[in-house]
Amino acid sequence: MILTVKDLHVSYKNRKKNSLKYDEKEVLKGLEFSIDENEIVGLVGESGCGKSTLAKALLGLIKSKSGEINLNCKHPQMVFQDPYSSLNPKKRISFILEEPLKNLTDMTSEERRKKAEWILGEVGLDKEYLDRYPSELSGGQRQRVCIAQSMILGSDFLIMDEPVSALDVTIQAQVLELIRELKIKHKLSILFISHDLRVVYSLCDKVMILKDGLIVEQGDRDKIYRNPQHEYTKKLLKSAGITI
Ligand SMILES: Nc1ncnc2c1ncn2[C@@H]1O[C@H](COP(=O)(O)OP(=O)(O)OP(=O)(O)O)[C@@H](O)[C@H]1O
Ligand SMILES: [Mg+2]
């Protein structure tokens, strides 16, 4: 297993107005799941149910209250929804891609440049893009750069938080196809967060349905889509107009 999660609880504490007391709100209420090598797991649930909170907790960006997170992978990385705000607008693509190599390896600048060229090719962009700024790329190209950046250290586990939601439908399809190819070629495991059940169906091997801080249903994609057990899953599939 690349990731195993047991009884994970995460809560946020907010200071009450005009008071020294804190309000604690539990967002994740005991999650249990695992992700296998070379598997894409879709995480579905309505806005505010805790999907991004889970992503951040898994990477240690926020503290869990209790439970276990066992990561057994190399360089886990996150890809965010908005490729524009997650790329530094003042830096060229070459800088953006080479930065992790600068910080975490002893590669020479020539080796870094070569690696950046190579990873850009892996996400379907010509090396000429290395000298551009993020604002000189389309939304789809920017998201390709974000994916390249997340992979450049040789990551085998990516968390993608709504990575295609900001893209229009044809570009969405191209980026999804890229993710499928990269998964196979680079043996990636991916936690793919989305509110779009059609996108999840087209990409994921397994699916987890999150509601009110709990996973109400999880399993193989076809099992969930053909034979949903939980009322909430049925409702989601029905409102997306999906019948399989
Ligand atoms: N830093 C924070 N402090 C307090 N509450 C927070 C914080 N971040 C998120 N929350 C709350 O936690 C809950 C879960 O938020 P989260 O961002 O994980 O939802 P989400 O499922 O990713 O939603 P969306 O689909 O809209 O992205 C929400 O009620 C949100 O208001
Ligand atoms: Mg979110």
Coordinates of all heavy atoms in Angstrom, one line a residue, residues 33-72:
F33 N -9.2 4.3 5.0 CA -9.1 3.8 3.6 C -7.6 3.6 3.3 O -6.7 3.9 4.1 CB -9.7 4.9 2.6 CG -8.9 6.2 2.6 CD1 -7.9 6.4 1.7 CD2 -9.2 7.2 3.5 CE1 -7.2 7.7 1.6 CE2 -8.5 8.4 3.5 CZ -7.6 8.6 2.5
S34 N -7.4 3.0 2.1 CA -6.0 2.9 1.7 C -5.9 3.0 0.2 O -6.9 3.0 -0.5 CB -5.5 1.5 2.1 OG -6.3 0.5 1.6
I35 N -4.7 3.4 -0.3 CA -4.5 3.5 -1.7 C -3.3 2.6 -2.1 O -2.3 2.6 -1.5 CB -4.2 5.0 -2.1 CG1 -5.4 5.8 -1.8 CG2 -3.8 5.1 -3.6 CD1 -5.3 7.3 -2.1
D36 N -3.5 1.8 -3.2 CA -2.5 0.9 -3.6 C -1.6 1.5 -4.6 O -1.9 2.5 -5.2 CB -3.3 -0.3 -4.2 CG -2.7 -1.6 -3.9 OD1 -1.5 -1.6 -3.5 OD2 -3.4 -2.6 -3.9
E37 N -0.5 0.8 -4.9 CA 0.4 1.2 -6.0 C -0.4 1.3 -7.3 O -1.2 0.4 -7.6 CB 1.5 0.2 -6.2 CG 2.7 0.3 -5.2 CD 2.4 -0.3 -3.8 OE1 1.4 -1.1 -3.8 OE2 3.1 -0.1 -2.8
N38 N 0.0 2.3 -8.1 CA -0.5 2.4 -9.5 C -2.1 2.4 -9.5 O -2.6 1.8 -10.4 CB 0.1 1.3 -10.3 CG 0.1 1.6 -11.8 OD1 0.0 0.8 -12.6 ND2 0.3 2.9 -12.1
E39 N -2.7 3.1 -8.6 CA -4.1 3.2 -8.5 C -4.6 4.6 -8.4 O -4.0 5.4 -7.8 CB -4.5 2.4 -7.3 CG -6.0 2.3 -7.0 CD -6.2 1.4 -5.8 OE1 -6.0 1.8 -4.6 OE2 -6.5 0.2 -6.0
I40 N -5.7 4.9 -9.2 CA -6.3 6.3 -9.0 C -7.6 6.1 -8.2 O -8.5 5.4 -8.6 CB -6.6 6.9 -10.4 CG1 -5.3 7.0 -11.3 CG2 -7.1 8.4 -10.1 CD1 -5.5 7.8 -12.6
V41 N -7.6 6.8 -7.1 CA -8.8 6.8 -6.2 C -9.5 8.1 -6.3 O -8.8 9.1 -6.0 CB -8.4 6.4 -4.8 CG1 -9.6 6.4 -3.9 CG2 -7.7 5.0 -4.7
G42 N -10.7 8.1 -6.6 CA -11.5 9.3 -6.7 C -12.1 9.6 -5.4 O -12.7 8.7 -4.7
L43 N -12.1 10.9 -5.0 CA -12.7 11.3 -3.7 C -13.8 12.3 -4.1 O -13.5 13.4 -4.6 CB -11.7 12.0 -2.8 CG -12.3 12.6 -1.5 CD1 -12.8 11.5 -0.6 CD2 -11.2 13.3 -0.7
V44 N -15.0 11.9 -3.8 CA -16.2 12.7 -4.2 C -17.0 13.2 -3.0 O -17.1 12.5 -2.0 CB -17.1 11.8 -5.1 CG1 -18.4 12.6 -5.5 CG2 -16.4 11.3 -6.3
G45 N -17.5 14.4 -3.1 CA -18.4 14.8 -2.0 C -18.7 16.3 -2.2 O -17.9 17.0 -2.9
E46 N -19.8 16.8 -1.6 CA -20.2 18.1 -1.9 C -19.3 19.2 -1.3 O -18.4 18.9 -0.4 CB -21.6 18.4 -1.5 CG -21.9 18.3 0.0 CD -23.3 18.0 0.3 OE1 -24.0 17.4 -0.5 OE2 -23.8 18.5 1.4
S47 N -19.4 20.4 -1.8 CA -18.5 21.5 -1.3 C -18.6 21.6 0.2 O -19.7 21.6 0.8 CB -19.0 22.8 -2.0 OG -18.2 23.8 -1.6
G48 N -17.4 21.7 0.8 CA -17.4 21.9 2.3 C -17.4 20.6 3.1 O -17.3 20.7 4.3
C49 N -17.4 19.5 2.4 CA -17.4 18.2 3.2 C -16.1 17.8 3.7 O -16.0 16.8 4.5 CB -18.1 17.1 2.3 SG -17.0 16.5 1.1
G50 N -15.0 18.5 3.3 CA -13.7 18.1 3.9 C -12.7 17.5 2.9 O -11.7 17.0 3.4
K51 N -12.9 17.6 1.6 CA -12.0 17.0 0.7 C -10.6 17.6 0.7 O -9.6 16.9 0.8 CB -12.6 17.1 -0.7 CG -14.0 16.4 -0.9 CD -14.5 16.5 -2.3 CE -14.8 17.9 -2.9 NZ -15.8 18.7 -2.1
S52 N -10.6 18.9 0.6 CA -9.2 19.6 0.6 C -8.6 19.5 2.0 O -7.4 19.4 2.1 CB -9.4 21.1 0.3 OG -9.9 21.2 -1.0
T53 N -9.4 19.4 3.1 CA -8.9 19.2 4.4 C -8.2 17.9 4.5 O -7.1 17.8 5.0 CB -10.0 19.3 5.4 OG1 -10.7 20.6 5.3 CG2 -9.6 19.0 6.8
L54 N -8.8 16.9 3.9 CA -8.1 15.5 3.9 C -6.8 15.6 3.1 O -5.8 15.1 3.6 CB -9.1 14.5 3.3 CG -8.4 13.1 3.1 CD1 -8.0 12.5 4.4 CD2 -9.4 12.2 2.4
A55 N -6.8 16.3 2.0 CA -5.6 16.4 1.2 C -4.5 17.0 2.0 O -3.4 16.5 2.0 CB -5.9 17.2 -0.1
K56 N -4.8 18.1 2.6 CA -3.8 18.8 3.4 C -3.3 18.0 4.6 O -2.1 18.0 4.9 CB -4.3 20.1 3.9 CG -4.5 21.2 2.8 CD -5.1 22.4 3.3 CE -5.9 23.2 2.3 NZ -6.9 24.0 2.8
A57 N -4.2 17.3 5.3 CA -3.8 16.4 6.4 C -2.9 15.3 5.9 O -1.9 15.0 6.6 CB -5.1 15.9 7.1
L58 N -3.2 14.7 4.8 CA -2.4 13.6 4.3 C -0.9 14.1 4.1 O 0.0 13.3 4.3 CB -2.9 13.0 3.0 CG -4.3 12.3 3.1 CD1 -4.8 11.8 1.8 CD2 -4.2 11.1 4.1
L59 N -0.8 15.3 3.6 CA 0.6 15.8 3.3 C 1.2 16.5 4.5 O 2.3 17.1 4.4 CB 0.6 16.7 2.1 CG 0.3 16.0 0.8 CD1 0.4 16.9 -0.4 CD2 1.1 14.8 0.6
G60 N 0.5 16.5 5.6 CA 1.0 17.1 6.8 C 1.0 18.6 6.8 O 1.7 19.3 7.6
L61 N 0.2 19.2 5.9 CA 0.1 20.7 5.8 C -0.8 21.2 7.0 O -0.7 22.4 7.3 CB -0.5 21.1 4.5 CG 0.3 20.6 3.3 CD1 -0.3 21.0 2.0 CD2 1.7 21.2 3.3
I62 N -1.7 20.3 7.4 CA -2.4 20.7 8.7 C -2.4 19.5 9.6 O -2.2 18.3 9.1 CB -3.9 21.0 8.4 CG1 -4.7 20.0 7.6 CG2 -4.1 22.4 7.8 CD1 -6.1 20.2 7.5
K63 N -2.5 19.7 10.9 CA -2.3 18.7 11.9 C -3.6 17.9 12.0 O -4.7 18.4 12.1 CB -1.9 19.4 13.2 CG -0.9 18.7 14.0 CD -0.4 19.5 15.1 CE 0.0 18.6 16.3 NZ -1.0 18.4 17.3
S64 N -3.4 16.6 12.2 CA -4.6 15.8 12.5 C -4.8 15.8 14.0 O -3.9 16.0 14.8 CB -4.4 14.3 12.0 OG -3.7 14.3 10.8
K65 N -6.1 15.5 14.4 CA -6.4 15.5 15.8 C -6.0 14.1 16.3 O -5.4 14.0 17.4 CB -7.9 15.7 16.0 CG -8.3 15.9 17.4 CD -9.8 16.3 17.4 CE -10.4 16.2 18.7 NZ -11.8 16.0 18.7
S66 N -6.4 13.1 15.6 CA -6.0 11.7 16.0 C -6.1 10.8 14.8 O -6.6 11.2 13.7 CB -6.9 11.2 17.1 OG -8.3 11.1 16.6
G67 N -5.6 9.6 15.0 CA -5.6 8.6 13.9 C -4.3 8.4 13.3 O -3.3 9.0 13.8
E68 N -4.2 7.6 12.3 CA -2.9 7.2 11.7 C -2.9 7.5 10.2 O -3.9 7.2 9.5 CB -2.7 5.7 11.8 CG -2.0 5.3 13.0 CD -1.9 3.8 13.1 OE1 -1.5 3.2 12.0 OE2 -2.2 3.2 14.1
I69 N -1.8 8.1 9.7 CA -1.6 8.2 8.3 C -0.2 7.6 8.0 O 0.8 8.1 8.4 CB -1.5 9.7 7.9 CG1 -2.8 10.4 8.2 CG2 -1.2 9.9 6.4 CD1 -2.8 12.0 8.1
N70 N -0.3 6.5 7.2 CA 1.0 5.9 6.8 C 1.2 6.0 5.4 O 0.5 5.5 4.5 CB 1.0 4.4 7.2 CG 1.0 4.2 8.7 OD1 1.9 4.7 9.4 ND2 0.0 3.5 9.2
L71 N 2.2 6.9 5.1 CA 2.6 7.1 3.7 C 3.8 6.2 3.4 O 4.8 6.3 4.1 CB 3.0 8.5 3.4 CG 1.8 9.5 3.2 CD1 2.3 10.9 3.3 CD2 1.1 9.3 1.9
N72 N 3.8 5.5 2.3 CA 4.9 4.6 1.9 C 5.2 4.9 0.5 O 5.0 4.1 -0.4 CB 4.4 3.2 2.1 CG 5.4 2.2 1.8 OD1 6.6 2.5 1.8 ND2 5.0 1.0 1.4

